[in-house]
Amino acid sequence: MMLEDIDRVLLTEDEIQQRVAELGEQLSQDYAGKDLVIVCILKGALHFMADLTRKISIPVDMDFMAISSYGASTKSSGEVRILQDLDAAIANRHVLIVEDIVDSGLTLKYLVDNLSSRRPASLKIATLLDKPARRVVPISPDYNGFLIPDEFVVGYGLDYAEKYRNLPFIGILKPEVYSK
Ligand code: 5GP
């Protein structure tokens, strides 16, 4: 059972939905009148993307990028591999990266460098979660749902070994689950 592996709930379904709605309103104001492409970073940002875009009241294009980090599964190595690239070009368009969580910042740094080289009109970052305590590169999201402590979380898109993504809340995994 998935629930037995959860130590405690950090963010409830209601808390997430309320904050996501606020972010959607903010983005609708900030990007009004602009040609916006929202880039979802798969797989972790899937649920955030789906809920966030439904709270945005201006027209948006959606595109998807699948990446994978090498190395241990609870830590990012900074080496990023593109598994699936964007469908469309982003030159001269306003691009918003939608990510699940910023931890060391290495993944986002890679994405920002990669997408910047394609000459978008602007490039910003929206992340659901931010763990500032673990940052190794100076990068901060333009839009953030929640600041969270340095604990390994799962649910609402976030996995451990591809499991727990379908939990509707964000929870802290029992350490014995990943130290097994
Ligand atoms: P970074 O490169 O910033 O260290 O890590 C970013 C990626 O690592 C995230 O997109 C996410 O896939 C993964 N990650 C970082 N912290 C967590 C966490 O607490 N839980 C889960 N499930 N994944 C995390």
Side-chain angles (χ1 to χ4, degrees):
M1 258 298 288
M2 277 198 298
L3 288 178
E4 287 164 6
D5 295 340
I6 302 299
D7 192 44
R8 66 191 167 91
V9 174
L10 187 64
L11 298 165
T12 65
E13 193 172 356
D14 279 355
E15 286 170 325
I16 296 169
Q17 294 303 333
Q18 199 186 324
R19 184 72 184 118
V20 169
E22 287 170 9
L23 289 173
E25 270 176 45
Q26 184 70 53
L27 289 164
S28 306
Q29 286 173 23
D30 294 357
Y31 285 95
K34 292 190 172 152
D35 177 26
L36 175 61
V37 187
I38 303 192
V39 171
C40 173
I41 308 305
L42 296 170
K43 301 173 189 166
L46 177 68
H47 297 65
F48 181 36
M49 176 78 166
D51 288 339
L52 181 66
T53 51
R54 282 181 289 184
K55 296 294 178 187
I56 294 179
S57 54
I58 58 168
V60 297
D61 279 13
M62 298 193 246
D63 210 336
F64 298 85
M65 203 162 167
I67 57 167
S68 116
S69 310
Y70 290 109
S73 49
T74 64
K75 265 196 204 114
S76 169
S77 65
E79 276 183 78
V80 177
R81 215 157 35 113
I82 295 182
L83 304 178
Q84 181 194 314
D85 206 344
L86 299 176
D87 282 344
I90 54 169
N92 303 317
R93 307 192 70 190
H94 293 279
V95 175
L96 179 72
I97 299 174
V98 169
E99 242 305 23
D100 51 1
I101 184 166
V102 195
D103 189 25
S104 69
L106 291 165
T107 304
L108 262 186
K109 168 89 172 62
Y110 172 88
L111 284 170
V112 166
D113 290 348
N114 183 292
L115 296 182
S116 297
S117 71
R118 307 181 196 194
R119 305 272 169 244
S122 71
L123 181 61
K124 290 196 173 179
I125 300 159
T127 183
L128 181 70
L129 308 173
D130 187 358
K131 263 193 222 175
R134 304 210 345 140
R135 204 70 97 253
V136 303
V137 287
I139 196 162
S140 54
D142 301 283
Y143 301 90
N144 175 47
F146 303 91
L147 289 171
I148 63 163
D150 182 11
E151 304 211 55
F152 192 78
V153 294
V154 294
Y156 195 68
L158 290 139
D159 74 311
Y160 173 66
E162 293 300 327
K163 298 286 187 301
Y164 312 103
R165 291 191 198 276
N166 57 317
L167 290 172
F169 57 83
I170 290 181
I172 296 171
L173 201 58
K174 288 180 180 162
E176 59 261 34
V177 177
Y178 53 84
S179 54
K180 257 187 234 165

